[in-house]
Amino acid sequence: DAGVTQSPTHLIKTRGQHVTLRCSPISGHKSVSWYQQVLGQGPQFIFQYYEKEERGRGNFPDRFSARQFPNYSSELNVNALLLGDSALYLCASSSRDRLYGYTFGSGTRLTVV
Amino acid sequence: DQQVKQNSPSLSVQEGRISILNCDYTNSMFDYFLWYKKYPAEGPTFLISISSIKDKNEDGRFTVFLNKSAKHLSLHIVPSQPGDSAVYFCAASILNRRNQFYFGTGTSLTVIP
């Protein structure tokens, strides 16, 4: 079975631009979470969606938004990119509305120049 | 505000010996803890977890100990193997916010053959 797939794997953007990151959960998983991992730090929670509804939001500015589609895939959007948004963005999916049992994808490495 | 801390950025251990990775937390509301393992270019992989009603949980070579009074947990790997070389993250959650985990900054373990 395919794991959590994220696209693209790497991305370079310029300050002020907008970016969309995509995540496909494991088949049958209805919950998707997004995390940001800055170099040298642990992952920081951004959003969680379950059954297409937002169930949690971390301490991130409104420039960050996300949505979940009927097939449970998800997009993370970041507007007005800053240099500090450079990070590994991780998506995780689960069949239950909690993190235990979550499976992470390999992430999208975003570099803002 | 780093609520979960891993104060040792790196650890080197000889193959066959015990590896002990430590984690401290500040939020007394945390009641569920996990360890994740991360190889380069891959997403974190769930390793072992423990609920606050227990003080020890064992799974094969991996044992997690929880000391609630000290707000400290540790992961023991016995015996250590070269394939255990990875970055280990400690994570914690709160009962009514299971959709959000707080991660430490990680400890890079190197097992020397």
Side-chain angles (χ1 to χ4, degrees):
Chain A
D1 284 341
V4 177
T5 57
Q6 292 186 243
S7 62
T9 54
H10 295 85
L11 199 55
I12 299 175
K13 289 286 191 178
T14 304
R15 275 179 299 177
Q17 284 188 316
H18 162 270
V19 69
T20 298
L21 311 181
R22 295 178 174 83
C23 172
S24 293
I26 290 173
S27 177
H29 284 192
K30 299 179 180 180
S31 180
V32 170
S33 289
W34 288 94
Y35 280 76
Q36 179 197 64
Q37 187 182 6
V38 173
L39 195 63
Q41 301 294 317
Q44 298 278 322
F45 174 73
I46 311 176
F47 287 110
Q48 191 230 357
Y49 278 78
Y50 180 73
E51 284 279 17
K52 296 164 293 224
E53 289 186 3
E54 182 183 301
R55 292 297 185 93
R57 173 184 287 251
N59 188 24
F60 279 81
D62 292 342
R63 299 185 295 109
F64 288 77
S65 64
R67 55 180 176 168
Q68 187 176 32
F69 298 99
N71 67 353
Y72 303 110
S73 66
S74 178
E75 282 183 355
L76 175 69
N77 295 284
V78 187
N79 292 323
L81 285 167
L82 302 174
L83 295 179
D85 295 330
S86 296
L88 179 68
Y89 288 84
L90 294 163
C91 173
S93 78
S94 172
S95 60
R96 294 171 292 186
D97 186 19
R98 48 185 169 140
L99 193 61
Y100 174 67
Y102 265 63
T103 302
F104 282 87
S106 299
T108 294
R109 171 71 63 188
L110 172 65
T111 302
V112 182
V113 297
Chain B
D1 179 26
Q2 192 71 33
Q3 300 186 54
V4 178
K5 301 176 184 178
Q6 295 175 256
N7 293 319
S8 298
S10 62
L11 175 68
S12 291
V13 172
Q14 290 285 338
E15 181 179 3
R17 306 293 291 268
I18 184 171
S19 294
I20 299 176
L21 294 91
N22 294 304
C23 177
D24 298 292
Y25 61 95
T26 57
N27 191 337
S28 58
M29 300 290 289
F30 288 147
D31 69 336
Y32 190 72
F33 305 88
L34 307 89
W35 285 93
Y36 277 86
K37 174 179 174 180
K38 187 179 186 300
Y39 293 116
E42 294 184 13
T45 303
F46 169 75
L47 195 56
I48 192 169
S49 64
I50 188 166
S51 164
S52 60
I53 62 173
K54 296 184 177 182
D55 54 17
K56 176 182 174 181
N57 188 27
E58 207 169 341
D59 184 2
R61 297 184 299 112
F62 302 91
T63 303
V64 56
F65 295 92
L66 175 62
N67 182 333
K68 282 176 291 186
S69 60
K71 294 190 178 68
H72 176 84
L73 64 157
S74 61
L75 174 68
H76 292 209
I77 306 174
V78 182
S80 300
Q81 300 174 353
D84 296 329
S85 297
V87 177
Y88 289 78
F89 291 100
C90 169
S93 77
I94 300 170
L95 175 61
N96 60 355
R97 279 193 274 163
R98 278 283 182 265
N99 59 346
Q100 177 176 350
F101 272 77
Y102 298 81
F103 283 81
T105 52
T107 296
S108 178
L109 173 66
T110 301
V111 180
I112 303 164

